[in-house]
Amino acid sequence: MNKSELIEHIAKQADISKAAAGRALEALIGGVKTTLKKNGTVSLVGFGTFSVTKRAARAGRNPRTGDTIKIKSAKVPKFRPGKALKDAVN
């Protein structure tokens, strides 16, 4: 399912227009991004939790040349699914 299919699904399920569903989805995504930028977490009960973790600096290897390169530390988004989502999939 891509973004436009998700918007169409939301519009049908909520009985709203596709434009309103698109704005709602963009608002959700924007809220999650803003919170994660501030190193916060977003918990959606029954769905899961979005958070930010730190990845340490490490040495890597350039696959083309085989040279060792330094990879900087980074903050990366993480998603941990909730129990209801896990149960729905299994």
Side-chain angles (χ1 to χ4, degrees):
M1 178 179 278
N2 61 29
K3 189 174 181 179
S4 62
E5 292 170 340
L6 181 58
I7 289 171
E8 190 174 322
H9 178 76
I10 292 169
K12 279 184 186 176
Q13 292 295 314
D15 195 26
I16 57 176
S17 69
K18 285 185 186 179
R23 288 191 303 271
L25 182 59
E26 288 298 327
L28 172 70
I29 292 169
V32 171
K33 281 182 186 178
T34 301
T35 303
L36 293 180
K37 279 184 183 179
K38 296 177 183 176
N39 287 329
T41 61
V42 177
S43 296
L44 303 171
V45 176
F47 184 70
T49 302
F50 295 93
S51 61
V52 176
T53 59
K54 286 193 173 186
R55 183 181 295 159
R58 62 195 191 280
R61 191 166 298 276
N62 182 335
R64 182 170 289 175
T65 63
D67 293 342
T68 301
I69 58 173
K70 293 179 183 177
I71 301 172
K72 295 180 182 180
S73 62
K75 293 190 291 184
V76 293
K78 178 181 171 184
F79 176 73
R80 193 172 62 239
K83 184 178 183 329
L85 181 58
K86 287 180 190 176
D87 291 344
V89 172
N90 291 322

